[in-house]
C-alpha cells in the first residue's frame, strides 16, 4: 500500500463507508499515533490507551455513516477518542480514586527524535504536572500538543470556539509550566 496522507481521508472514508475494510485499516494507521497520545494524556494512563483507542476505532467504524459530507475525518475521529478516554477515566475514578496511579504513569508514543529526547524521569514529571491540571486544561493540551491538532480541529473535538481554544491553551501552558519541577529549567519550555 502506498504511503497514506491526511489528504487521503476523504477517499478512505468513502471506501470505508462502502465496506472496504482495508480503507478503514488505512484510516486507523493514519490516525493511531495521535489517538494514542490523546487517550494517554486525557486519562493519564498509558496502559489503558491501547484499549481506549481500539474501542474508539470500533465505535468510529460503526458510525462512519454519521460523518457529514465535507466534515474533516480527523477531528471527528479524535472527538470519539477523547470521549472514550473521558468515559474510561470517569469509570476508573469511581472504582479507584487514583490512589497509587500517579507513580506508575508513563507516556506511550512511537519513538522519534522528539520523543527520544524526553527521558523517563522527565516524561513522568510531565505526566504528573498534566495530572494536576484541570480536565479542561488537560484536554486542550492533549489535543494541541500530544495529538498535534490545529486550533480548528481542537475546537471541533472539544466543542468550543476557536478563540476559546487559543485562550485555554495559553492559560493551560502557564499552569503546566508552574507545575513542572524548576530543576528542569528551560528543558520544559513549551511553544504555544
Amino acid at each position: 500500500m502506498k504511503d497514506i496522507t491526511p489528504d487521503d481521508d476523504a477517499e478512505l472514508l468513502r471506501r470505508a463507508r462502502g465496506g472496504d475494510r482495508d480503507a478503514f485499516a488505512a484510516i486507523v494507521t493514519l490516525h493511531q499515533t495521535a489517538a494514542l497520545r490523546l487517550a494517554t494524556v486525557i486519562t493519564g494512563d498509558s496502559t489503558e490507551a491501547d484499549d481506549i483507542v481500539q474501542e474508539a476505532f470500533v465505535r468510529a467504524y460503526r458510525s462512519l455513516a454519521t460523518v457529514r459530507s465535507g466534515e474533516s475525518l480527523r477531528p471527528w475521529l479524535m472527538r470519539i477518542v477523547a470521549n472514550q478516554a473521558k468515559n474510561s477515566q470517569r469509570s476508573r475514578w469511581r472504582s479507584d480514586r487514583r490512589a497509587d496511579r500517579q507513580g506508575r504513569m508513563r507516556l506511550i508514543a512511537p519513538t522519534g527524535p522528539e520523543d527520544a529526547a524526553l527521558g523517563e524521569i522527565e516524561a513522568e514529571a510531565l505526566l504528573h504536572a498534566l495530572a494536576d491540571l484541570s480536565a479542561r486544561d488537560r484536554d486542550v493540551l492533549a489535543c494541541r500538543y500530544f495529538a498535534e491538532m490545529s486550533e480548528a480541529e481542537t475546537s471541533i473535538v472539544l466543542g468550543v470556539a476557536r478563540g476559546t481554544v487559543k485562550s485555554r491553551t495559553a492559560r493551560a501552558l502557564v499552569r503546566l509550566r508552574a507545575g513542572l519541577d524548576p530543576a528542569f529549567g528551560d528543558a520544559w519550555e513549551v511553544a504555544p
Side-chain angles (χ1 to χ4, degrees):
M1 182 184 289
K2 69 176 183 120
D3 286 340
I4 304 164
T5 67
D7 295 333
D8 296 328
D9 273 355
E11 175 60 20
L12 291 172
L13 176 59
R14 185 191 64 73
R15 289 178 31 214
R17 280 180 168 169
D20 183 343
R21 290 179 185 251
D22 289 337
F24 189 74
I27 290 170
V28 170
T29 299
L30 184 61
H31 297 288
Q32 188 166 23
T33 298
L36 282 168
R37 287 179 178 173
L38 182 63
T40 298
V41 173
I42 288 175
T43 63
D45 185 355
S46 63
T47 59
E48 277 187 66
D50 286 326
D51 292 337
I52 289 167
V53 169
Q54 182 177 8
E55 180 62 30
F57 281 129
V58 167
R59 288 175 187 242
Y61 183 76
R62 291 178 182 154
S63 303
L64 286 173
T66 67
V67 181
R68 285 178 254 151
S69 180
E71 181 178 12
S72 179
L73 181 62
R74 179 181 163 104
W76 176 83
L77 188 56
M78 292 303 141
R79 185 176 337 134
I80 293 171
V81 172
N83 287 339
Q84 188 67 30
K86 289 175 190 177
N87 289 342
S88 175
Q89 186 180 36
R90 278 191 292 270
S91 180
R92 186 180 68 236
W93 281 346
R94 287 184 193 113
S95 64
D96 173 9
R97 298 289 180 195
R98 294 174 32 176
D100 64 339
R101 300 186 42 71
Q102 297 286 336
R104 293 183 282 128
M105 292 190 301
R106 298 286 184 271
L107 179 63
I108 290 182
T111 55
E114 67 278 359
D115 297 326
L118 285 177
E120 187 173 322
I121 294 171
E122 292 170 337
E124 188 170 315
L126 178 60
L127 282 172
H128 281 284
L130 285 165
D132 289 340
L133 295 176
S134 70
R136 209 162 86 165
D137 287 347
R138 252 190 337 270
D139 292 350
V140 75
L141 293 178
C143 288
R144 292 287 287 128
Y145 296 102
F146 291 87
E148 299 173 348
M149 298 172 70
S150 69
E151 286 177 357
E153 292 171 328
T154 302
S155 168
I156 293 168
V157 170
L158 299 180
V160 297
R162 191 171 175 181
T164 302
V165 168
K166 192 172 199 157
S167 62
R168 281 188 190 173
T169 301
R171 287 191 296 267
L173 286 172
V174 168
R175 287 189 275 271
L176 178 62
R177 284 185 192 111
L180 291 169
D181 187 342
F184 289 113
D186 293 336
W188 290 109
E189 281 303 312
V190 179

